[in-house]
Amino acid sequence: DQQVKQNSPSLSVQEGRISILNCDYTNSMFDYFLWYKKYPAEGPTFLISISSIKDKNEDGRFTVFLNKSAKHLSLHIVPSQPGDSAVYFCAASAHSGGGADGLTFGKGTHLIIQP
Amino acid sequence: EAGVAQSPRYKIIEKRQSVAFWCNPISGHATLYWYQQILGQGPKLLIQFQNNGVVDDSQLPKDRFSAERLKGVDSTLKIQPAKLEDSAVYLCASSLAGGVTYEQYFGPGTRLTVT
């Protein structure tokens, strides 16, 4: 049972336009959500996160939106740049026993920025 | 600040052989994680340590996989004997213990090929 789902394996966007990556989750215990970016032959790099008590978090060109009632989050990249071409993973975590659990990841979305 | 270090970067072994991976987390990070990433999938948590104690190993195939974190710093993950389906990238990550946020920082990974 996949608890974090990224239904778009790939996404192609023109440079300068907005990239929107989507993620759905099923586990109501998740209280923290993160986006990671991954280049080939490298480990995932933390990008941006959001707590379940918020509905939006912004960091420069990156904004994450959380819709708890729909169990849906999205990552917006504006404007998209060639260096943004990578695989993006959505991840979720929960608190248990006072500490953070390990992350549950989606399968990733390969973002391709076209010049 | 030095990142998470892992070695080796690549390993090729035959099935039924044994293999070990090493991880050195970011200095001061008490929590250490091992993930397995199979091609086309997101990383899957294998084991989580808090200092040198195991917090979660529910997804670790304990008949063939073992991990330890002596002295609460470095960690090793071992597979014995390896199977073809163990071919994957093994990622180590670390995070601050007891933090409000959940960001985990990943190493570059070890790509294992079992033939």
Side-chain angles (χ1 to χ4, degrees):
Chain A
D1 177 32
Q2 213 179 340
Q3 298 185 62
V4 176
K5 298 178 184 179
Q6 293 177 257
N7 292 320
S8 299
S10 65
L11 176 67
S12 183
V13 174
Q14 204 163 10
E15 181 179 357
R17 306 293 289 268
I18 182 171
S19 295
I20 300 176
L21 293 89
N22 294 302
C23 177
D24 297 292
Y25 64 97
T26 58
N27 188 340
S28 299
M29 298 301 292
F30 289 145
D31 59 1
Y32 204 79
F33 303 90
L34 307 90
W35 285 93
Y36 281 82
K37 177 179 179 179
K38 187 179 184 305
Y39 292 118
E42 294 183 10
T45 302
F46 170 72
L47 197 57
I48 192 169
S49 61
I50 187 167
S51 164
S52 60
I53 63 174
K54 296 184 176 181
D55 56 17
K56 177 182 176 182
N57 188 28
E58 192 172 354
D59 184 2
R61 296 186 298 114
F62 304 92
T63 303
V64 56
F65 296 92
L66 174 62
N67 183 334
K68 281 185 63 179
S69 61
K71 292 190 174 67
H72 177 83
L73 62 155
S74 60
L75 173 68
H76 292 210
I77 306 173
V78 182
S80 300
Q81 299 174 353
D84 296 330
S85 294
V87 177
Y88 289 78
F89 289 99
C90 173
S93 186
H95 261 120
S96 65
D101 291 348
L103 298 174
T104 300
F105 283 84
K107 291 186 176 182
T109 296
H110 186 193
L111 177 64
I112 302 162
I113 305 301
Q114 305 278 9
Chain B
E1 177 184 84
V4 176
Q6 289 188 248
S7 68
R9 291 296 311 276
Y10 304 92
K11 189 74 177 179
I12 301 174
I13 61 172
E14 295 182 352
K15 59 184 179 183
R16 292 187 289 273
Q17 286 187 323
S18 63
V19 64
F21 313 126
W22 173 83
C23 172
N24 181 245
I26 292 173
S27 178
H29 281 193
T31 310
L32 185 147
Y33 311 81
W34 283 101
Y35 289 85
Q36 178 193 57
Q37 185 177 14
I38 293 172
L39 187 65
Q41 305 287 321
K44 183 184 86 170
L45 178 70
L46 292 176
I47 189 167
Q48 176 183 350
F49 291 95
Q50 179 85 3
N51 296 308
N52 60 348
V54 175
V55 173
D56 181 4
D57 64 356
S58 58
Q59 299 189 88
L60 186 73
K62 298 180 186 64
D63 57 334
R64 298 184 299 104
F65 286 65
S66 64
E68 61 182 10
R69 191 184 184 197
L70 301 176
K71 301 180 182 178
V73 181
D74 293 6
S75 177
T76 56
L77 176 70
K78 297 179 182 178
I79 307 175
Q80 182 179 11
K83 293 185 175 181
L84 295 176
E85 59 260 36
D86 298 332
S87 293
V89 176
Y90 291 84
L91 294 160
C92 179
S94 69
S95 68
L96 290 169
V100 176
T101 59
Y102 298 72
E103 285 84 6
Q104 297 179 17
Y105 298 88
F106 285 82
T110 297
R111 179 175 294 278
L112 174 67
T113 302
V114 182
T115 63

